Amino acid sequence: MTIEQSVTVGVLVKNVLVDTLGVDPERIDPDADLEHDLGLDSLDRVDLLVSLETYTGSGLSDEELASVKTVRDAIALVEQRMASR
Amino acid sequence: MSVQAVVVTGLGPVTPIGVGARVFHEAQLGGRSGIRAITHFDARELPVRIAGEVDIPDSFAWASRDEAVTDRCTHLAAVATQLALTDSGLDLGVEDPTRVGVVIGTGIGGVTTWECAAHTAMERGCQALSARFIPMAMANNAASWITVRYGLNGPSLAVNSACASGAHAIAVGHLLIASGQADVVLAGGAEAPLTPIIVSGFAQMRALSRRNDEPERASRPFHRHRDGFVMAEGAAVLVLESAEHAAARGANVHATLAGAGSSSDAFHMVKPRPDGDGACRALAGAMRSAGLTPDAVSYVNAHGTGTSFNDAAEAKAVHAAFGEMAGRIPMSSTKSQTGHSLGASGAVEAVASVQAITSGMIPATANLDDPDPALGLDVVALEPRPAAVRSVLSSSFAFGGHNIVLAFTRA
């Protein structure tokens, strides 16, 4: 994983949060809790992961889905998948 | 169990001619048309390219997050609810939330969401569908959204009877209060049907006016040369309360919801009975329910769509229900200005009916410069008519043969 890739994944996650889920970009930072800070519920979590699957190219399990609590977790999950491809 | 009288204390219209009770009323009396070339999508290739679109004021615009998770149908209902609550002066903070209900009618519900989901599924596969697609699209979304937004725990539901949905929702609200199941009901209708597929679907039925070159002149109910209705979006919510509850809080009562009459044509899926029998029974039922005789009805807010079939059958129904009074009772069609907002229309027209009582002005039917002489009705044309309006019947006769007439009387 290069620095460029990591930056790109961060932008990617942010774009999904803003464009698909309508989150205010000002509120997004790596430690933001998806539920408590961004107001996302379990349905949004599915939409976030489905959007990210498009980029990782592989399905994400319900367990992986449940493990994502923060923006940083989402970025890490995508990076991990992209690295293992 | 005593039967509770029901009054109207709040009005929240969201229409192509105006948003909010005062603006809507002034637009009605000023003869404004809300019909224009469609801007919601590219309609250039369609046979019908005009509709009544709502301009939601900036003060009611939503944050991107709310927009992303809510269909426009619910947004319109939300604006209507906020307006109605403000108009009523009701402080939900001091109300028992278990005694406040919500009934919202809609003909189609979150249809923009449906169409987007269908495109997604076809282009990217079903696994690309949003997890929020079903809740956003479901017809009860607006009713549910309002209960969540305001923390209301009384009875809540959506009502669907196509173009009668909004009026039926108000009638259900009446029943809930009259039977003691709620003290307050936020009742009305919402519709956001201006999508390529829905507009085209109605156009394929040959139900819509094709006067694309003169949008403001297209909706012409009861006209000799009417050629179909004009689709619209919109919403309206009324705050209904038991008379007792309204009196206890010193509310400003706009009118009494004195009763309703409903019936089914049992005839055809979209064509009204040509003899108007079903509609007549709804009119008669509303009068009976409200304790009115034909000579006591000051004004009939017609269903008045501007289709050849509706206006002819409605005229037959009015003649049958009112007998020799039929040609002397002033009627008019709100849809001549707003277009036809399907499941919202009955609620929008309930607002117009209540305002006729409070203002003493019967709104006109726009564009009616050549009334169909075969109808034999006193349709108020072009200019509003001052009158001592004591009681109003508001008619909704829907696809599916669902008929409902609401009766409002001066409080």
Side-chain angles (χ1 to χ4, degrees):
Chain A
M1 176 69 59
T2 65
I3 290 170
E4 288 76 13
Q5 262 184 319
S6 184
V7 170
T8 307
V9 172
V11 171
L12 170 73
V13 170
K14 184 172 178 177
N15 285 350
V16 172
L17 288 170
V18 173
D19 297 339
T20 305
L21 302 178
V23 174
D24 178 358
E26 299 289 313
R27 297 172 65 185
I28 299 173
D29 72 61
D31 292 319
D33 184 286
L34 299 182
E35 182 181 347
H36 299 297
D37 297 326
L38 303 185
L40 305 186
D41 62 16
S42 58
L43 299 178
D44 297 307
R45 193 186 295 272
V46 173
D47 282 357
L48 174 62
L49 274 285
V50 166
S51 295
L52 296 179
E53 279 176 0
T54 311
Y55 298 97
T56 61
S58 63
L60 298 164
S61 68
D62 286 353
E63 289 73 28
E64 287 173 308
L65 195 134
S67 73
V68 173
K69 305 290 185 200
T70 65
V71 173
R72 192 188 302 281
D73 293 343
I75 294 169
L77 181 61
V78 176
E79 287 176 345
Q80 181 195 337
R81 280 309 181 91
M82 291 174 80
S84 65
R85 272 204 296 192
Chain B
M1 183 189 70
S2 64
V3 176
Q4 296 286 323
V6 180
V7 296
V8 180
T9 57
L11 302 174
V14 177
T15 81
I17 63 168
V19 173
R22 184 183 57 79
V23 177
F24 172 69
H25 185 60
E26 287 173 2
Q28 275 223 290
L29 297 188
R32 183 178 171 198
S33 169
I35 311 305
R36 67 188 184 199
I38 290 172
T39 64
H40 284 197
F41 58 91
D42 183 354
R44 279 175 296 181
E45 301 301 316
L46 303 184
V48 173
R49 302 183 287 280
I50 54 173
E53 297 179 327
V54 173
D55 294 319
I56 297 176
D58 290 344
S59 54
F60 293 99
W62 271 359
S64 58
R65 172 70 183 147
D66 294 318
E67 290 273 6
V69 299
T70 318
D71 191 272
R72 183 170 174 87
C73 181
T74 293
H75 191 173
L76 296 172
V79 175
T81 302
Q82 190 180 335
L83 286 163
L85 283 169
T86 302
D87 185 51
S88 74
L90 189 70
D91 180 1
L92 288 174
V94 301
E95 293 295 327
D96 174 356
T98 67
R99 299 291 301 165
V100 182
V102 178
V103 189
I104 302 295
T106 184
I108 324 183
V111 72
T112 303
T113 301
W114 272 108
E115 283 197 28
C116 289
H119 283 296
T120 299
M122 283 188 286
E123 289 163 11
R124 293 161 49 205
C126 289
Q127 301 228 346
L129 286 171
S130 166
R132 206 171 281 283
F133 150 51
I134 295 293
M136 280 174 70
M138 62 192 192
N140 57 321
N141 183 284
S144 170
W145 189 96
I146 293 164
T147 65
V148 173
R149 167 66 181 79
Y150 294 101
L152 306 176
N153 305 109
S156 67
L157 67 154
V159 170
N160 186 329
S161 52
C163 304
S165 303
H168 264 126
I170 292 167
V172 171
H174 181 270
L175 286 175
L176 290 173
I177 294 171
S179 63
Q181 296 180 69
D183 296 326
V184 179
V185 175
L186 310 179
E191 203 79 80
L194 302 181
T195 70
I197 290 178
I198 298 298
V199 171
S200 298
F202 279 99
Q204 289 299 95
M205 294 174 74
R206 304 302 190 265
L208 302 183
S209 170
R210 300 195 176 200
R211 289 180 200 274
N212 294 304
D213 296 333
E214 42 179 0
E216 297 189 348
R217 305 260 300 140
S219 185
R220 46 178 70 198
F222 305 116
H223 196 283
R224 189 197 297 262
H225 302 300
R226 62 188 182 273
D227 73 329
F229 72 85
V230 179
M231 282 186 69
E233 61 177 354
V237 167
L238 280 66
V239 177
L240 306 179
E241 294 182 55
S242 71
E244 199 175 298
H245 185 275
R249 72 178 184 89
N252 175 32
V253 174
H254 296 309
T256 299
L257 175 52
S262 60
S263 69
S264 301
D265 275 8
F267 174 70
H268 187 270
M269 194 54 71
V270 296
K271 201 170 145 187
R273 271 182 69 123
D275 63 5
D277 178 67
C280 168
R281 282 184 289 111
L283 286 161
M287 285 190 276
R288 192 165 55 246
S289 162
L292 297 169
T293 50
D295 60 337
V297 175
S298 316
Y299 163 54
V300 174
N301 185 294
H303 185 55
T305 60
T307 66
S308 174
F309 283 131
N310 174 81
D311 296 2
E314 183 162 10
K316 291 265 176 59
V318 168
H319 281 282
F322 291 94
E324 60 183 18
M325 289 295 300
R328 285 184 276 158
I329 294 177
M331 296 176 62
S332 63
S333 168
T334 305
K335 294 180 182 78
S336 64
Q337 293 179 268
T338 60
H340 188 353
S341 56
L342 311 181
S345 64
V348 170
E349 290 154 27
V351 171
S353 299
V354 169
Q355 289 179 324
I357 291 173
T358 55
S359 70
M361 291 294 283
I362 296 175
T365 303
N367 298 319
L368 191 54
D369 52 10
D370 188 4
D372 183 345
L375 304 179
L377 301 172
D378 175 15
V379 183
V380 178
L382 304 177
E383 294 292 333
R385 184 187 298 175
V389 182
R390 297 187 168 277
S391 59
V392 180
L393 301 184
S394 182
S395 297
S396 296
F397 308 131
F399 278 3
H402 316 292
N403 308 301
I404 179 146
V405 177
L406 302 173
F408 295 96
T409 56
R410 191 180 285 183

